[in-house]
mmCIF file of all heavy atoms in Angstrom:
data_model
loop_
_atom_site.group_PDB
_atom_site.id
_atom_site.type_symbol
_atom_site.label_atom_id
_atom_site.label_comp_id
_atom_site.label_asym_id
_atom_site.label_seq_id
_atom_site.Cartn_x
_atom_site.Cartn_y
_atom_site.Cartn_z
ATOM 1 N N THR M 1 69.405 -119.223 31.358
ATOM 2 C CA THR M 1 68.566 -119.019 30.184
ATOM 3 C C THR M 1 69.415 -118.295 29.152
ATOM 4 O O THR M 1 70.059 -117.287 29.472
ATOM 5 C CB THR M 1 67.323 -118.181 30.525
ATOM 6 O OG1 THR M 1 66.582 -118.827 31.558
ATOM 7 C CG2 THR M 1 66.436 -118.010 29.294
ATOM 8 N N MET M 2 69.424 -118.796 27.935
ATOM 9 C CA MET M 2 70.297 -118.219 26.918
ATOM 10 C C MET M 2 69.718 -118.425 25.526
ATOM 11 O O MET M 2 68.733 -119.144 25.346
ATOM 12 C CB MET M 2 71.699 -118.851 26.993
ATOM 13 C CG MET M 2 71.726 -120.369 26.948
ATOM 14 S SD MET M 2 71.504 -121.114 25.307
ATOM 15 C CE MET M 2 73.092 -120.722 24.573
ATOM 16 N N ILE M 3 70.321 -117.740 24.555
ATOM 17 C CA ILE M 3 69.999 -117.951 23.145
ATOM 18 C C ILE M 3 71.303 -118.295 22.439
ATOM 19 O O ILE M 3 72.231 -117.481 22.403
ATOM 20 C CB ILE M 3 69.359 -116.709 22.502
ATOM 21 C CG1 ILE M 3 68.077 -116.313 23.244
ATOM 22 C CG2 ILE M 3 69.054 -116.979 21.022
ATOM 23 C CD1 ILE M 3 67.455 -115.023 22.740
ATOM 24 N N GLY M 4 71.388 -119.505 21.920
ATOM 25 C CA GLY M 4 72.570 -119.934 21.196
ATOM 26 C C GLY M 4 72.416 -119.657 19.709
ATOM 27 O O GLY M 4 71.309 -119.693 19.166
ATOM 28 N N VAL M 5 73.535 -119.383 19.050
ATOM 29 C CA VAL M 5 73.544 -119.104 17.615
ATOM 30 C C VAL M 5 74.690 -119.880 16.984
ATOM 31 O O VAL M 5 75.828 -119.805 17.455
ATOM 32 C CB VAL M 5 73.740 -117.600 17.318
ATOM 33 C CG1 VAL M 5 73.643 -117.341 15.816
ATOM 34 C CG2 VAL M 5 72.731 -116.752 18.074
ATOM 35 N N GLU M 6 74.386 -120.626 15.926
ATOM 36 C CA GLU M 6 75.401 -121.353 15.176
ATOM 37 C C GLU M 6 75.512 -120.746 13.775
ATOM 38 O O GLU M 6 74.548 -120.790 13.002
ATOM 39 C CB GLU M 6 75.035 -122.835 15.051
ATOM 40 C CG GLU M 6 74.697 -123.530 16.353
ATOM 41 C CD GLU M 6 75.866 -123.616 17.316
ATOM 42 O OE1 GLU M 6 77.028 -123.612 16.834
ATOM 43 O OE2 GLU M 6 75.630 -123.668 18.527
ATOM 44 N N VAL M 7 76.652 -120.147 13.479
ATOM 45 C CA VAL M 7 76.871 -119.513 12.181
ATOM 46 C C VAL M 7 78.069 -120.183 11.500
ATOM 47 O O VAL M 7 79.169 -120.179 12.060
ATOM 48 C CB VAL M 7 77.156 -118.003 12.324
ATOM 49 C CG1 VAL M 7 77.323 -117.366 10.944
ATOM 50 C CG2 VAL M 7 76.043 -117.312 13.096
ATOM 51 N N PRO M 8 77.886 -120.770 10.318
ATOM 52 C CA PRO M 8 79.056 -121.294 9.598
ATOM 53 C C PRO M 8 80.095 -120.192 9.395
ATOM 54 O O PRO M 8 79.757 -119.055 9.051
ATOM 55 C CB PRO M 8 78.462 -121.762 8.262
ATOM 56 C CG PRO M 8 77.023 -122.041 8.567
ATOM 57 C CD PRO M 8 76.622 -121.022 9.588
ATOM 58 N N LYS M 9 81.347 -120.508 9.615
ATOM 59 C CA LYS M 9 82.393 -119.489 9.490
ATOM 60 C C LYS M 9 82.404 -118.860 8.100
ATOM 61 O O LYS M 9 82.757 -117.691 7.942
ATOM 62 C CB LYS M 9 83.753 -120.125 9.798
ATOM 63 C CG LYS M 9 83.876 -120.672 11.213
ATOM 64 C CD LYS M 9 85.186 -121.449 11.385
ATOM 65 C CE LYS M 9 85.266 -122.123 12.735
ATOM 66 N NZ LYS M 9 86.486 -122.936 12.892
ATOM 67 N N THR M 10 82.003 -119.635 7.095
ATOM 68 C CA THR M 10 82.036 -119.131 5.725
ATOM 69 C C THR M 10 80.989 -118.049 5.475
ATOM 70 O O THR M 10 81.074 -117.334 4.477
ATOM 71 C CB THR M 10 81.805 -120.282 4.730
ATOM 72 O OG1 THR M 10 80.574 -120.962 5.067
ATOM 73 C CG2 THR M 10 82.958 -121.266 4.761
ATOM 74 N N LEU M 11 79.995 -117.909 6.365
ATOM 75 C CA LEU M 11 78.960 -116.893 6.185
ATOM 76 C C LEU M 11 79.352 -115.548 6.776
ATOM 77 O O LEU M 11 78.670 -114.541 6.538
ATOM 78 C CB LEU M 11 77.638 -117.353 6.811
ATOM 79 C CG LEU M 11 76.895 -118.504 6.132
ATOM 80 C CD1 LEU M 11 75.530 -118.693 6.774
ATOM 81 C CD2 LEU M 11 76.744 -118.250 4.635
ATOM 82 N N LEU M 12 80.407 -115.510 7.563
ATOM 83 C CA LEU M 12 80.835 -114.253 8.167
ATOM 84 C C LEU M 12 81.510 -113.375 7.121
ATOM 85 O O LEU M 12 82.187 -113.860 6.214
ATOM 86 C CB LEU M 12 81.789 -114.511 9.324
ATOM 87 C CG LEU M 12 81.183 -115.227 10.541
ATOM 88 C CD1 LEU M 12 82.267 -115.518 11.569
ATOM 89 C CD2 LEU M 12 80.071 -114.392 11.165
ATOM 90 N N GLY M 13 81.333 -112.083 7.280
ATOM 91 C CA GLY M 13 81.912 -111.139 6.339
ATOM 92 C C GLY M 13 83.327 -110.731 6.671
ATOM 93 O O GLY M 13 83.841 -109.759 6.109
ATOM 94 N N LEU M 14 83.984 -111.449 7.583
ATOM 95 C CA LEU M 14 85.398 -111.245 7.910
ATOM 96 C C LEU M 14 86.117 -112.574 7.744
ATOM 97 O O LEU M 14 85.539 -113.628 8.025
ATOM 98 C CB LEU M 14 85.565 -110.774 9.360
ATOM 99 C CG LEU M 14 85.170 -109.339 9.711
ATOM 100 C CD1 LEU M 14 85.215 -109.149 11.222
ATOM 101 C CD2 LEU M 14 86.088 -108.334 9.030
ATOM 102 N N PRO M 15 87.382 -112.565 7.319
ATOM 103 C CA PRO M 15 88.145 -113.821 7.282
ATOM 104 C C PRO M 15 88.166 -114.437 8.678
ATOM 105 O O PRO M 15 88.336 -113.728 9.680
ATOM 106 C CB PRO M 15 89.544 -113.367 6.845
ATOM 107 C CG PRO M 15 89.342 -112.058 6.182
ATOM 108 C CD PRO M 15 88.183 -111.413 6.877
ATOM 109 N N TRP M 16 87.993 -115.760 8.747
ATOM 110 C CA TRP M 16 87.908 -116.384 10.064
ATOM 111 C C TRP M 16 89.192 -116.190 10.877
ATOM 112 O O TRP M 16 89.147 -116.042 12.097
ATOM 113 C CB TRP M 16 87.570 -117.867 9.954
ATOM 114 C CG TRP M 16 87.472 -118.486 11.324
ATOM 115 C CD1 TRP M 16 88.248 -119.458 11.858
ATOM 116 C CD2 TRP M 16 86.552 -118.107 12.351
ATOM 117 N NE1 TRP M 16 87.877 -119.723 13.146
ATOM 118 C CE2 TRP M 16 86.827 -118.911 13.488
ATOM 119 C CE3 TRP M 16 85.515 -117.172 12.438
ATOM 120 C CZ2 TRP M 16 86.117 -118.798 14.681
ATOM 121 C CZ3 TRP M 16 84.803 -117.063 13.626
ATOM 122 C CH2 TRP M 16 85.104 -117.873 14.723
ATOM 123 N N GLY M 17 90.331 -116.133 10.221
ATOM 124 C CA GLY M 17 91.563 -115.886 10.950
ATOM 125 C C GLY M 17 91.537 -114.574 11.702
ATOM 126 O O GLY M 17 92.157 -114.437 12.755
ATOM 127 N N ARG M 18 90.799 -113.602 11.162
ATOM 128 C CA ARG M 18 90.620 -112.302 11.839
ATOM 129 C C ARG M 18 89.527 -112.390 12.885
ATOM 130 O O ARG M 18 89.703 -111.967 14.024
ATOM 131 C CB ARG M 18 90.263 -111.252 10.785
ATOM 132 C CG ARG M 18 90.167 -109.838 11.324
ATOM 133 C CD ARG M 18 91.525 -109.199 11.401
ATOM 134 N NE ARG M 18 91.426 -107.758 11.480
ATOM 135 C CZ ARG M 18 91.555 -107.063 12.605
ATOM 136 N NH1 ARG M 18 91.781 -107.685 13.753
ATOM 137 N NH2 ARG M 18 91.471 -105.748 12.598
ATOM 138 N N ALA M 19 88.384 -112.939 12.502
ATOM 139 C CA ALA M 19 87.244 -113.014 13.417
ATOM 140 C C ALA M 19 87.536 -113.887 14.629
ATOM 141 O O ALA M 19 87.005 -113.669 15.724
ATOM 142 C CB ALA M 19 86.018 -113.551 12.680
ATOM 143 N N GLN M 20 88.418 -114.873 14.466
ATOM 144 C CA GLN M 20 88.727 -115.812 15.544
ATOM 145 C C GLN M 20 89.324 -115.115 16.768
ATOM 146 O O GLN M 20 89.273 -115.642 17.879
ATOM 147 C CB GLN M 20 89.686 -116.876 15.031
ATOM 148 C CG GLN M 20 89.901 -118.043 15.985
ATOM 149 C CD GLN M 20 90.901 -119.037 15.410
ATOM 150 O OE1 GLN M 20 91.885 -118.646 14.782
ATOM 151 N NE2 GLN M 20 90.637 -120.312 15.604
ATOM 152 N N GLN M 21 89.866 -113.915 16.576
ATOM 153 C CA GLN M 21 90.448 -113.176 17.692
ATOM 154 C C GLN M 21 89.401 -112.772 18.731
ATOM 155 O O GLN M 21 89.747 -112.369 19.840
ATOM 156 C CB GLN M 21 91.158 -111.922 17.170
ATOM 157 C CG GLN M 21 92.308 -112.208 16.223
ATOM 158 C CD GLN M 21 92.867 -110.945 15.609
ATOM 159 O OE1 GLN M 21 93.001 -109.919 16.276
ATOM 160 N NE2 GLN M 21 93.191 -110.995 14.329
ATOM 161 N N ILE M 22 88.120 -112.895 18.380
ATOM 162 C CA ILE M 22 87.033 -112.559 19.304
ATOM 163 C C ILE M 22 86.859 -113.626 20.373
ATOM 164 O O ILE M 22 86.390 -113.355 21.481
ATOM 165 C CB ILE M 22 85.719 -112.387 18.513
ATOM 166 C CG1 ILE M 22 85.778 -111.099 17.695
ATOM 167 C CG2 ILE M 22 84.511 -112.379 19.418
ATOM 168 C CD1 ILE M 22 85.859 -109.834 18.524
ATOM 169 N N VAL M 23 87.220 -114.873 20.071
ATOM 170 C CA VAL M 23 87.019 -115.973 21.023
ATOM 171 C C VAL M 23 87.719 -115.641 22.335
ATOM 172 O O VAL M 23 88.901 -115.309 22.359
ATOM 173 C CB VAL M 23 87.557 -117.303 20.450
ATOM 174 C CG1 VAL M 23 87.482 -118.412 21.495
ATOM 175 C CG2 VAL M 23 86.769 -117.700 19.193
ATOM 176 N N GLY M 24 86.959 -115.725 23.413
ATOM 177 C CA GLY M 24 87.511 -115.444 24.734
ATOM 178 C C GLY M 24 87.391 -114.008 25.179
ATOM 179 O O GLY M 24 87.696 -113.687 26.327
ATOM 180 N N ARG M 25 86.904 -113.135 24.286
ATOM 181 C CA ARG M 25 86.736 -111.731 24.656
ATOM 182 C C ARG M 25 85.301 -111.467 25.083
ATOM 183 O O ARG M 25 84.361 -112.060 24.577
ATOM 184 C CB ARG M 25 87.104 -110.811 23.487
ATOM 185 C CG ARG M 25 88.570 -110.857 23.121
ATOM 186 C CD ARG M 25 88.905 -109.981 21.947
ATOM 187 N NE ARG M 25 88.489 -108.596 22.107
ATOM 188 C CZ ARG M 25 88.836 -107.618 21.272
ATOM 189 N NH1 ARG M 25 89.612 -107.888 20.230
ATOM 190 N NH2 ARG M 25 88.422 -106.386 21.466
ATOM 191 N N GLY M 26 85.132 -110.553 26.020
ATOM 192 C CA GLY M 26 83.791 -110.194 26.469
ATOM 193 C C GLY M 26 83.117 -109.260 25.477
ATOM 194 O O GLY M 26 83.702 -108.273 25.033
ATOM 195 N N LEU M 27 81.896 -109.575 25.089
ATOM 196 C CA LEU M 27 81.106 -108.743 24.189
ATOM 197 C C LEU M 27 79.782 -108.439 24.861
ATOM 198 O O LEU M 27 79.091 -109.345 25.334
ATOM 199 C CB LEU M 27 80.864 -109.455 22.859
ATOM 200 C CG LEU M 27 82.108 -109.824 22.037
ATOM 201 C CD1 LEU M 27 81.707 -110.656 20.824
ATOM 202 C CD2 LEU M 27 82.850 -108.574 21.605
ATOM 203 N N SER M 28 79.401 -107.178 24.901
ATOM 204 C CA SER M 28 78.185 -106.774 25.591
ATOM 205 C C SER M 28 76.985 -106.777 24.655
ATOM 206 O O SER M 28 77.081 -106.347 23.501
ATOM 207 C CB SER M 28 78.365 -105.374 26.191
ATOM 208 O OG SER M 28 77.140 -104.905 26.733
ATOM 209 N N GLY M 29 75.854 -107.237 25.181
ATOM 210 C CA GLY M 29 74.594 -107.145 24.462
ATOM 211 C C GLY M 29 73.744 -105.992 24.955
ATOM 212 O O GLY M 29 72.541 -105.943 24.704
ATOM 213 N N ARG M 30 74.369 -105.055 25.655
ATOM 214 C CA ARG M 30 73.633 -103.940 26.250
ATOM 215 C C ARG M 30 73.832 -102.623 25.516
ATOM 216 O O ARG M 30 73.151 -101.644 25.831
ATOM 217 C CB ARG M 30 74.054 -103.775 27.721
ATOM 218 C CG ARG M 30 73.698 -104.948 28.607
ATOM 219 C CD ARG M 30 74.201 -104.757 30.023
ATOM 220 N NE ARG M 30 75.661 -104.835 30.093
ATOM 221 C CZ ARG M 30 76.352 -105.975 30.158
ATOM 222 N NH1 ARG M 30 75.703 -107.121 30.165
ATOM 223 N NH2 ARG M 30 77.666 -105.970 30.216
ATOM 224 N N GLU M 31 74.746 -102.564 24.563
ATOM 225 C CA GLU M 31 75.008 -101.299 23.891
ATOM 226 C C GLU M 31 75.543 -101.553 22.488
ATOM 227 O O GLU M 31 76.026 -102.646 22.168
ATOM 228 C CB GLU M 31 76.034 -100.476 24.684
ATOM 229 C CG GLU M 31 77.354 -101.206 24.892
ATOM 230 C CD GLU M 31 78.273 -100.484 25.857
ATOM 231 O OE1 GLU M 31 77.801 -99.554 26.529
ATOM 232 O OE2 GLU M 31 79.463 -100.856 25.923
ATOM 233 N N GLY M 32 75.463 -100.525 21.643
ATOM 234 C CA GLY M 32 76.021 -100.601 20.304
ATOM 235 C C GLY M 32 75.420 -101.713 19.462
ATOM 236 O O GLY M 32 74.242 -102.062 19.575
ATOM 237 N N VAL M 33 76.257 -102.287 18.610
ATOM 238 C CA VAL M 33 75.800 -103.365 17.731
ATOM 239 C C VAL M 33 75.391 -104.583 18.553
ATOM 240 O O VAL M 33 74.482 -105.325 18.165
ATOM 241 C CB VAL M 33 76.901 -103.743 16.723
ATOM 242 C CG1 VAL M 33 76.446 -104.892 15.821
ATOM 243 C CG2 VAL M 33 77.268 -102.544 15.851
ATOM 244 N N GLY M 34 76.023 -104.791 19.713
ATOM 245 C CA GLY M 34 75.641 -105.907 20.574
ATOM 246 C C GLY M 34 74.202 -105.813 21.018
ATOM 247 O O GLY M 34 73.476 -106.817 21.052
ATOM 248 N N ALA M 35 73.751 -104.606 21.361
ATOM 249 C CA ALA M 35 72.351 -104.416 21.754
ATOM 250 C C ALA M 35 71.422 -104.669 20.580
ATOM 251 O O ALA M 35 70.331 -105.234 20.734
ATOM 252 C CB ALA M 35 72.149 -102.998 22.300
ATOM 253 N N LEU M 36 71.851 -104.259 19.385
ATOM 254 C CA LEU M 36 71.045 -104.494 18.187
ATOM 255 C C LEU M 36 70.922 -105.992 17.910
ATOM 256 O O LEU M 36 69.840 -106.495 17.590
ATOM 257 C CB LEU M 36 71.690 -103.779 17.005
ATOM 258 C CG LEU M 36 70.866 -103.642 15.728
ATOM 259 C CD1 LEU M 36 69.595 -102.855 15.985
ATOM 260 C CD2 LEU M 36 71.696 -102.959 14.648
ATOM 261 N N LEU M 37 72.028 -106.723 18.070
ATOM 262 C CA LEU M 37 72.002 -108.169 17.872
ATOM 263 C C LEU M 37 71.138 -108.849 18.925
ATOM 264 O O LEU M 37 70.349 -109.757 18.615
ATOM 265 C CB LEU M 37 73.426 -108.732 17.907
ATOM 266 C CG LEU M 37 73.570 -110.256 17.813
ATOM 267 C CD1 LEU M 37 72.905 -110.798 16.556
ATOM 268 C CD2 LEU M 37 75.045 -110.644 17.846
ATOM 269 N N ALA M 38 71.259 -108.417 20.184
ATOM 270 C CA ALA M 38 70.437 -109.002 21.251
ATOM 271 C C ALA M 38 68.957 -108.751 20.986
ATOM 272 O O ALA M 38 68.112 -109.644 21.176
ATOM 273 C CB ALA M 38 70.845 -108.421 22.603
ATOM 274 N N GLN M 39 68.630 -107.548 20.540
ATOM 275 C CA GLN M 39 67.241 -107.215 20.221
ATOM 276 C C GLN M 39 66.722 -108.089 19.085
ATOM 277 O O GLN M 39 65.585 -108.582 19.122
ATOM 278 C CB GLN M 39 67.151 -105.737 19.839
ATOM 279 C CG GLN M 39 65.735 -105.257 19.518
ATOM 280 C CD GLN M 39 65.735 -103.808 19.068
ATOM 281 O OE1 GLN M 39 66.639 -103.351 18.366
ATOM 282 N NE2 GLN M 39 64.728 -103.060 19.475
ATOM 283 N N PHE M 40 67.556 -108.294 18.072
ATOM 284 C CA PHE M 40 67.156 -109.135 16.943
ATOM 285 C C PHE M 40 66.909 -110.569 17.408
ATOM 286 O O PHE M 40 65.904 -111.190 17.025
ATOM 287 C CB PHE M 40 68.245 -109.106 15.872
ATOM 288 C CG PHE M 40 67.943 -109.976 14.679
ATOM 289 C CD1 PHE M 40 67.182 -109.495 13.632
ATOM 290 C CD2 PHE M 40 68.414 -111.274 14.615
ATOM 291 C CE1 PHE M 40 66.891 -110.294 12.532
ATOM 292 C CE2 PHE M 40 68.132 -112.091 13.529
ATOM 293 C CZ PHE M 40 67.374 -111.599 12.484
#
């Protein structure tokens, strides 16, 4: 069970070349901004 999100790269507030470094990294939805995003 999951919630998928599709965001055009142009809508992000970081250059995609910078934001792309997140791909493959673990991000938690249990704390910090991740918890806020999961709650939203």
Side-chain angles (χ1 to χ4, degrees):
T1 302
M2 53 78 73
I3 302 175
V5 184
E6 308 295 333
V7 182
K9 298 173 186 177
T10 55
L11 290 188
L12 294 176
L14 287 171
W16 181 244
R18 185 83 161 101
Q20 190 182 38
Q21 298 173 40
I22 289 296
V23 174
R25 294 178 54 171
L27 299 174
S28 173
R30 296 177 291 277
E31 58 189 12
V33 179
L36 193 60
L37 176 56
Q39 182 183 37
F40 178 86

